[in-house]
Amino acid sequence: RGTIIIKINSPGGSTYEALAIAGRIKASKRQIITEGYGHMMSAATLLLASGDKRRMCAYAWFMHHKTSYGVEGDHDTIVEEVKHMEREEREWAKIMGDLTVRSSRFWLDTAHKRNVYMNADECKRNGVVDEIF
């Protein structure tokens, strides 16, 4: 019973684990508040944006970027892996578009740089968070 608060301070990690956690947050019958401290980067961006109510410390940073990976194998394997990573990147952008006030196109276009940093005010303006504390 009651509200669950998830406090996030993370450099990121695996996209699949972040998708699993974000999916679980969205499926919960309880109200989930996500709070960002320090940094929410890479895969952790989805966690912050997934809360029913999203808050961010005024001193924290959010960072997203293009997918990075290392691929080995024959030509066909590499081509398939690259296609999948491009698809995964589009899916991340679609989810962020669903969770924020910005479109999936915005999230894809801003990631044309290696790393895109946003402070708490920028996150609020872009609809990643509802409140700054």
Side-chain angles (χ1 to χ4, degrees), residues 19-96:
L19 289 168
I21 295 168
R24 182 63 186 97
I25 290 169
K26 296 313 287 178
S28 178
K29 290 181 172 47
R30 296 170 107 183
Q31 181 187 39
I32 308 263
I33 298 172
T34 54
E35 291 184 344
Y37 296 86
H39 63 321
M40 289 68 50
M41 298 184 170
S42 193
T45 59
L46 284 176
L47 307 183
L48 179 64
S50 293
D52 298 313
K53 187 172 190 179
R54 294 108 19 113
R55 301 192 271 217
M56 185 171 175
C57 176
Y59 309 134
W61 286 92
F62 172 102
M63 185 276 289
H64 78 97
H65 57 87
K66 289 188 88 52
T67 302
S68 59
Y69 50 89
V71 179
E72 293 183 22
D74 62 41
H75 175 75
D76 293 337
T77 300
I78 292 170
V79 168
E80 286 304 313
E81 287 297 314
V82 170
K83 283 181 189 176
H84 175 71
M85 291 299 156
E86 289 171 345
R87 182 178 176 195
E88 192 175 283
E89 194 169 73
R90 287 190 305 273
E91 184 64 21
W92 175 87
K94 180 188 175 307
I95 294 167
M96 287 299 288

